[in-house]
Amino acid sequence: AAKGFCLSKKSSVINKSKVYNVSGELVISKVFVDQKIVLNTSNLEKGIYFLQLYENSIIKTEKIINF
C-alpha cells in the first residue's frame, strides 16, 4: 500500500510544495491546482523530512516524519 499524507487548507491557496531530506536534498516537488494536497511518500526512506508549502508569496516549513 502506498504511504503518504493529505493536507487540506481551506483558508489559503497552496500553489506548490517541496520536500527536503535532512541533508537538504530536494526529494519531492509538486504543483497543486486545487486546495487538496496529496503527497505520496512511499518512495522515501524512513526518517525526518522538511515540507515547504508555498502560499502565494509566503513559504511555510513543517517537519514531517516518514515511518
Side-chain angles (χ1 to χ4, degrees), residues 30-64:
K30 190 166 182 180
V31 175
F32 301 101
V33 293
D34 59 21
Q35 293 184 11
K36 184 176 181 184
I37 298 169
V38 178
L39 290 174
N40 183 350
T41 59
S42 63
N43 61 335
L44 298 180
E45 301 215 5
K46 293 179 181 180
I48 297 172
Y49 294 86
F50 296 95
L51 169 66
Q52 285 189 335
L53 299 173
Y54 292 75
E55 301 177 37
N56 297 321
S57 61
I58 300 170
I59 302 172
K60 295 182 179 181
T61 303
E62 301 285 337
K63 181 169 68 170
I64 58 174

Side-chain angles (χ1 to χ4, degrees), residues 16-20 26-32 39-40 51-52 54:
K16 64 181 174 178
S17 70
K18 293 182 180 182
V19 178
Y20 295 89
L26 179 65
V27 293
I28 298 175
S29 181
K30 190 166 182 180
V31 175
F32 301 101
L39 290 174
N40 183 350
L51 169 66
Q52 285 189 335
Y54 292 75

